[in-house]
Structure formats: C-alpha cells, structure tokens
Amino acid sequence: MRFIVSSSKLQKHLQMISGVINSSNTMPILDNFLFELDEGKLKVTGSDMETTVSTVIPVDSDDTDSLCVPSRILLDTLKTFPDQPLTFHKKEENLLEITSDQGRYQLSYLSADDFPEAPELEDIESMTMPVDVLVEAINKTLFATGNDEHRPVMTGVFFELSTDECRFVATDAHRLVKYMRSELKTQKNAQFIMPKKPLNLIKNIFPLGEDVMIDYNETNTRFTTGDLTVLCRLIDGKYPAYNAVIPKDNPNVLTINRVQFLNSLKRVSIFANKSTHLVRLKLTGSELSISTEDVDFSNKAEETFACDYNGNDIQIGFNAKFLSEMLQNLQSNDVTLSMSEPNRAGIIEPIDGLEDGEKILMLVMPLMLSA
C-alpha cells in the first residue's frame, strides 16, 4: 500500500472528523482513523461507536488496501508541515512510513478488521435540505437541550418532519425552543431525537451553500454532503408532548428592542444570586423595571426604562441566564415577551429578521418571587 497526498489537504480532512474521537476510549481501536484506499480515493473514518464520521480525499495511488492509523500522533505531525506532498508506505511488521521533504517518520498501525463496522441503514426514508437551514436549526435549538442522563430524550434535539413543515425542538424542562420551516416537507411524517455530539459536528464541519441528504430509520440517521458523512445512533425514547406546555392565551405582551433587553439583563444579573440567577420583571403601564437582589451578599441592582407594553400590571421572575441565552440566539431587532400569569411560562418570539417560512418560539418557565 502506497499513496501520495497533500499534507494540508489531509490535515484539513482529518481535523474535521477528529471531533468524533473521544479523549479516552474503552476500545483502543477507537483512538485510530480507519484508512481505506481504493485506486485514487482515500476514505478516512473516525468513530466512537455511537457516531461515525467519514470523508473522502483524492490521492495519487493505484492500490487498494486498508489499515488503522493512530489519530493523535498523525494529526500532531501533520500540523507541523508546510504544504507539501507526503508519501505513505505500508511496510512489514505493522509499520507505516511517512516520507516528507524533510525526512522519514515511522509509526505502527493496526488491522482494519478490528475497526467497528458502521451499521447498514435499512428501510430508510430520505429528505434533502440546505446545509444552511440545518445549521440554523441546530444553532437555534442545541443550547436549550438538557444534560440529565436520567432523561436522555431531553439531551437531544427532536426532529419532527411532516408533509406540512419541519419542526426542530429542544427542552430541558426549564426552557423550550421550537424552530419551524414551512418550506421543508417530507413524503411521510417522521420523528426522531438527534444526540448533541453529531449535531455539533455537523454545524462545525458541513460546508454552507450545499445541500445535505438525510437518511433515517427507527434507530439511525445519516447526513451526507459532498464527501462528508455523519452517521449516528438515535436517542431511544418518546419525546415529551411539548405543545401541551406552551400556553395558548398570553394577553400581556411586552415589545422591546432585543439588544437593549439583553444588555440590561446582563448588567442586572451580575448582582443576582449565583445559583438561581433570578431577576424580577415588573411591568406597569409603559414602564419596565428589571431588578435583582442577592440577600446573602447584600447585592442588588435595578434598571427602569420606557417600553411598549399591552396588558395588566404584572411582576414575574425568570432565570436571567436562560433569558439571555435565548436573546443571544436571535438576530431580530425587536422581540415580544408574551405572558399570562406570574406562575405561567413566558413566550419570546422575534418580530423581524426571519426568512420566508421561518418561525421560532422560545419558552422560559418562571421562578417563584418572594414578597
């Protein structure tokens, strides 16, 4: 086995898929990249058993062979090279030799037979969407997923695909985001829960401006664009009936500049209790007061400014960290905060900055206010 490849091109592709490799693996073979050479094309694969990422690189070779190469030492070596051709030569005694303009380097390899095989997807459904839309859906929802291992379905993003529109939902029971695209439709209704890790990989490595093919069945899903493929095992379980927790009647509506609201929250929350992040919103007429108090350290802060408010006077408590994250993940100039009662969830929606067919709803649960 012998092939020649550009050092910078190889590094770029390996760097993209290296995020799937865990820092510590129970199976040593997972510390390696799988190299599969087939007459001028080198397919490189990384896996953690749950998620498998692969890419194809053009190389100069007529050989067909495969082996596993230690990922860390190979990446660390490639980072030191200026762009130049590298020759990889498989030798006897499980040794792989790399030849550069500067010298020769030798490392041991493992058999490709030991690398776990990616599952074959059977009985699949498929759909295509722009990478830009998929990445936007991930960015808008991923931050609201939970971390509770006892409720695994809430640690991922719920893909709800239908003949009318596609919805992407995330919640950790304290906040919820529903992102909708009406221009995306499928032949059949389908639902599945995507884990965080492959979604983070997709948004970081998939090229914008391309289309992505999504193949899915009851247990796995595969995302393919160009020479990149991400295949992952889905989270097993039934997603909560999220629509049931979204209050339908919210007569008290605050309309406010998003950046002004966000900056005020950031300043005031510095003085909030570090465990609850509680801030009080007091709406009276056309005036909004944002305040907090940490009695343990005698810290307090309050800001008051004019606002556009329609509804009854209300005082309601929220986690400032959650509110800020939601506002940071919107691009609109203005937003609405719709409320009904101090013990019911608040709904944040952007007024502008959306594409045709794009909708987003963010829900945040209130916190109990002391008198």
Side-chain angles (χ1 to χ4, degrees):
M1 174 184 185
R2 180 191 294 269
F3 64 88
I4 301 172
V5 64
S6 158
S7 60
S8 59
K9 184 172 290 187
L10 180 60
Q11 181 197 347
K12 177 185 175 183
H13 282 75
L14 295 189
Q15 197 73 52
M16 283 194 295
I17 69 172
S18 65
V20 75
I21 299 176
N22 294 328
S23 55
S24 58
N25 288 301
T26 53
M27 296 173 58
I29 193 67
L30 296 178
D31 293 330
N32 294 260
F33 290 121
L34 171 64
F35 277 20
E36 295 174 288
L37 181 64
D38 185 11
E39 296 182 355
K41 291 185 178 180
L42 177 67
K43 181 180 179 182
V44 184
T45 303
S47 178
D48 66 357
M49 294 296 288
E50 297 292 321
T51 302
T52 300
V53 186
S54 62
T55 183
V56 178
I57 311 165
V59 297
D60 183 5
S61 177
D62 295 325
D63 295 343
T64 300
D65 205 345
S66 58
L67 50 80
C68 291
V69 186
S71 60
R72 181 47 49 205
I73 188 171
L74 181 57
L75 268 174
D76 286 347
T77 305
L78 289 172
K79 289 175 184 176
T80 67
F81 287 127
D83 185 26
Q84 61 180 281
L86 298 178
T87 302
F88 286 72
H89 181 207
K90 176 181 175 183
K91 305 178 71 174
E92 296 178 353
E93 300 177 353
N94 281 52
L95 295 176
L96 180 66
E97 183 179 79
I98 305 171
T99 305
S100 74
D101 293 343
Q102 289 79 19
R104 297 176 182 273
Y105 319 87
Q106 189 169 275
L107 66 161
S108 59
Y109 67 84
L110 298 176
S111 170
D113 296 336
D114 297 330
F115 200 84
E117 286 189 26
E120 291 289 334
L121 268 60
E122 300 177 350
D123 301 321
I124 62 170
E125 298 290 337
S126 301
M127 73 171 297
T128 302
M129 71 172 70
V131 171
D132 302 60
V133 172
L134 177 60
V135 170
E136 186 70 8
I138 295 171
N139 286 332
K140 286 289 189 288
T141 53
L142 200 60
F143 75 93
T145 54
N147 297 305
D148 187 351
E149 294 181 357
H150 298 294
R151 293 189 288 182
V153 295
M154 298 172 77
T155 65
V157 173
F158 182 51
F159 280 51
E160 193 173 22
L161 315 178
S162 77
T163 55
D164 297 323
E165 67 177 2
C166 289
R167 295 173 287 275
F168 308 85
V169 183
T171 183
D172 62 0
H174 303 290
R175 53 190 169 167
L176 180 148
V177 177
K178 179 167 72 167
Y179 181 75
M180 297 153 280
R181 301 292 299 221
S182 62
E183 80 275 21
L184 297 180
K185 298 175 173 63
T186 54
Q187 296 291 328
K188 296 180 181 178
N189 293 350
Q191 302 176 353
F192 52 85
I193 308 171
M194 281 289 298
K196 289 182 190 179
K197 185 173 181 178
L199 292 179
N200 269 313
L201 285 166
I202 286 168
K203 74 170 190 169
N204 289 329
I205 68 175
F206 274 20
L208 299 178
E210 303 290 335
D211 285 338
V212 54
M213 172 71 76
I214 307 175
D215 304 308
Y216 50 90
N217 58 19
E218 292 185 356
T219 54
N220 294 277
T221 184
R222 179 175 58 217
F223 297 78
T224 306
T225 181
D227 293 327
L228 274 170
T229 301
V230 174
L231 188 153
C232 76
R233 192 193 310 275
L234 299 170
I235 296 175
D236 186 29
K238 184 174 176 59
Y239 203 74
Y242 65 87
N243 277 316
V245 303
I246 302 175
K248 300 296 186 290
D249 185 22
N250 305 288
N252 303 311
V253 181
L254 166 68
T255 303
I256 191 169
N257 178 270
R258 181 183 65 88
V259 175
Q260 180 188 19
F261 192 19
L262 176 59
N263 288 339
S264 184
L265 281 169
K266 284 180 176 179
R267 285 190 296 268
V268 171
S269 64
I270 293 170
F271 298 84
N273 182 282
K274 295 300 180 280
S275 59
T276 64
H277 305 284
L278 170 65
V279 294
R280 179 193 301 257
L281 304 188
K282 181 180 179 182
L283 286 151
T284 309
S286 59
E287 186 175 84
L288 168 63
S289 168
I290 304 176
S291 62
T292 189
E293 183 174 10
D294 185 355
V295 294
D296 294 336
F297 295 96
S298 299
N299 295 335
K300 64 192 311 185
E302 181 177 7
E303 291 194 9
T304 304
F305 45 89
C307 65
D308 180 358
Y309 177 64
N310 290 304
N312 299 322
D313 293 354
I314 189 173
Q315 292 191 58
I316 188 168
F318 289 116
N319 182 314
K321 181 183 175 185
F322 291 166
L323 276 181
S324 296
E325 281 186 326
M326 290 178 170
L327 295 170
Q328 284 172 332
N329 280 279
L330 295 172
Q331 284 80 45
S332 62
N333 293 318
D334 299 312
V335 297
T336 57
L337 172 59
S338 305
M339 300 155 285
S340 56
E341 302 290 340
N343 62 348
R344 300 287 302 279
I347 305 292
I348 296 176
E349 294 176 285
I351 293 178
D352 51 69
L354 297 176
E355 297 179 5
D356 290 342
E358 182 182 24
K359 296 180 185 176
I360 185 164
L361 178 149
M362 296 183 170
L363 174 151
V364 59
M365 298 301 293
L367 298 179
M368 187 74 72
L369 287 173
S370 57

